[in-house]
Amino acid sequence: MKETVVSGIRPTGKLHLGNYFGAVTNFVKMQYDYNCYFFIADLHSLTTHPTPQDLHGYVRHVLVEYLACGIDPEETTIYIQSDVPEVAELYLYLNMNAYMGELERSTSFKDKVRSQPDNVNAGLLTYPTLMAADILIHKATKVPVGKDQEQHLEFTRTFGNRFNRLYNSEYFPEAFAFNYSQNLVKVPGLDGNGKMSKSSGEGNCIYLSDSPEVIRKKVSRAVTDSGPSEENQTKPEAIQNLFDLMKIVSPADTLEHFDGLYNKMGIRYGDFKKQLAEDMIVFNTPIRERIEELSKDSSYLRQVAIHGALKARESAQKTIREVRELIGFKSF
């Protein structure tokens, strides 16, 4: 039996190179080695109160981009969270055994209280419980998450083990963080600071759906400096970030050429950026074209969503049926 992997993404906008190299490429590889459930977390997104039009549009966009990147609906289960009502039912049961004090200690909840004091809703407080329901509904043991989500996985283990103790069973297995690749790729942004992130603004990200013109414009505006002042000097962070991007999308000899120019104080950032932009365009074009093609095929997208919901519900219904029996819900 293959181990079960679960991962979800909130539909908050377009995927960028950071998402692609940080997560999606591993999803494409692991779908052949594991029993994978990849879902679009539209229930989670309700904590920020999107409009109905935005919510549907964002969900559709993520579905298109997952498929365009190579996630195969025949090899894995891609589904929309709200299409599986059993998740909400398990969320209710887990909430009955989650305590206010522990939920209030959640780092992400405390961060949200500070960042959006006018919208501290119950969904934010119980976010870890819903995440636990997403994982436990399929009895997953592996969850690809970053460091910022590891506390939520601890909650998942706490809630699953508490359920097991309360109902005298070993029903839910423990789930742990999982990195499929040993060589995790950190994709820097274009603003000279840290990783590529939507929260840092449009200009910081190269989106998978960006046109060649947009990519050229964004890269041309990337942060640089006045150039090296001595041979073989250590590159400042903003410059190293651009070289790291080139390492990801360009041939090795191109990177070596510009690295040599930098070390000999002969680099011209204008030429460097032009080459980086063109290499990004070459990399991005097949995915962008596939996104454009899939976006026009509503009937195929509907078919994928229905097929994914059926597969996900088959697993979820079995779990809910057994959970209800353990709790003591019985028909008369």
Side-chain angles (χ1 to χ4, degrees):
M1 289 288 289
K2 292 181 179 179
E3 283 191 89
T4 297
V5 174
V6 166
S7 184
I9 184 169
R10 281 166 59 100
T12 56
K14 301 173 285 186
L15 299 181
H16 53 65
L17 287 180
N19 302 133
Y20 181 79
F21 285 107
V24 180
T25 50
N26 283 336
F27 292 173
V28 172
K29 293 173 191 169
M30 74 174 69
Q31 66 186 337
Y32 302 105
D33 297 329
Y34 296 92
N35 177 32
C36 294
Y37 292 88
F38 299 133
F39 67 95
I40 302 168
D42 55 345
L43 295 178
H44 282 287
S45 72
L46 296 182
T47 58
T48 55
H49 304 155
T51 67
Q53 294 81 1
D54 285 345
L55 178 59
H56 180 72
Y58 290 153
V59 167
R60 190 179 196 275
H61 206 93
V62 173
L63 179 60
V64 165
E65 292 188 333
Y66 261 4
L67 296 170
C69 288
I71 295 178
D72 185 347
E74 297 303 320
E75 292 289 342
T76 191
T77 304
I78 309 175
Y79 65 98
I80 298 158
Q81 189 184 26
S82 61
D83 282 345
V84 183
E86 291 79 12
V87 171
E89 185 172 348
L90 184 57
Y91 171 48
L92 171 66
Y93 300 152
L94 295 176
N95 269 331
M96 298 301 181
N97 303 313
Y99 299 109
M100 191 81 155
E102 63 189 347
L103 292 172
E104 287 178 332
R105 287 193 293 273
S106 163
T107 302
S108 65
F109 177 67
K110 289 189 281 192
D111 288 344
K112 293 295 184 184
V113 170
R114 282 191 293 269
S115 64
Q116 53 185 70
D118 296 329
N119 181 26
V120 183
N121 55 67
L124 288 174
L125 181 67
T126 59
Y127 191 100
T129 326
L130 181 54
M131 182 171 167
D134 292 322
I135 297 163
L136 296 174
I137 198 78
H138 302 299
K139 302 177 81 171
T141 54
K142 295 187 181 299
V143 185
V145 293
K147 283 281 182 190
D148 59 332
Q149 293 285 320
E150 284 188 355
Q151 188 186 33
H152 286 158
L153 263 186
E154 289 177 24
F155 277 121
T156 298
R157 292 191 290 273
T158 296
F159 299 149
N161 288 333
R162 187 175 291 157
F163 180 93
N164 292 346
R165 287 195 304 274
L166 190 61
Y167 296 109
N168 195 27
S169 73
E170 293 297 321
Y171 187 71
F172 287 122
E174 292 191 325
F176 292 91
F178 172 55
N179 289 320
Y180 184 75
S181 169
Q182 296 305 308
N183 303 311
L184 296 178
V185 179
K186 179 195 168 188
V187 180
L190 297 172
D191 63 1
N193 298 302
K195 66 179 184 178
M196 191 169 285
S197 170
K198 283 177 277 198
S199 61
S200 298
E202 286 274 324
N204 184 51
C205 298
I206 299 294
Y207 293 105
L208 300 179
S209 55
D210 277 348
S211 68
E213 296 75 21
V214 168
I215 291 174
R216 290 188 188 104
K217 185 178 291 186
K218 285 181 177 179
V219 174
S220 72
R221 293 173 176 170
V223 174
T224 53
D225 59 13
S226 57
S229 56
E230 56 184 78
E231 291 190 359
N232 299 310
Q233 74 174 50
T234 301
K235 300 179 183 76
E237 183 183 11
I239 305 305
Q240 185 60 55
N241 283 352
L242 294 180
F243 272 90
D244 288 345
L245 285 168
M246 180 170 273
K247 185 178 181 180
I248 292 167
V249 299
S250 304
D253 57 348
T254 301
L255 176 65
E256 188 178 342
H257 168 71
F258 283 101
D259 198 42
L261 288 176
Y262 187 91
N263 290 334
K264 292 174 185 175
M265 298 172 60
I267 193 165
R268 292 160 56 107
Y269 286 139
D271 295 338
F272 175 64
K273 286 180 175 181
K274 282 178 185 172
Q275 185 64 53
L276 176 59
E278 294 311 310
D279 290 344
M280 280 184 171
I281 290 164
V282 169
F283 173 82
N284 238 31
T285 294
I287 299 175
R288 178 180 54 78
E289 289 178 346
R290 183 72 176 136
I291 288 171
E292 290 171 356
E293 179 187 338
L294 286 165
S295 294
K296 298 172 187 171
D297 196 346
S298 294
S299 122
Y300 175 67
L301 296 177
R302 189 178 307 111
Q303 178 187 330
V304 168
I306 292 170
H307 180 59
L310 287 172
K311 286 168 72 179
R313 289 200 72 187
E314 184 179 355
S315 164
Q317 285 172 341
K318 179 177 185 296
T319 299
I320 286 298
R321 189 165 56 248
E322 292 168 351
V323 163
R324 287 175 66 90
E325 188 174 321
L326 284 167
I327 292 172
F329 293 125
K330 296 183 186 295
S331 299
F332 286 93

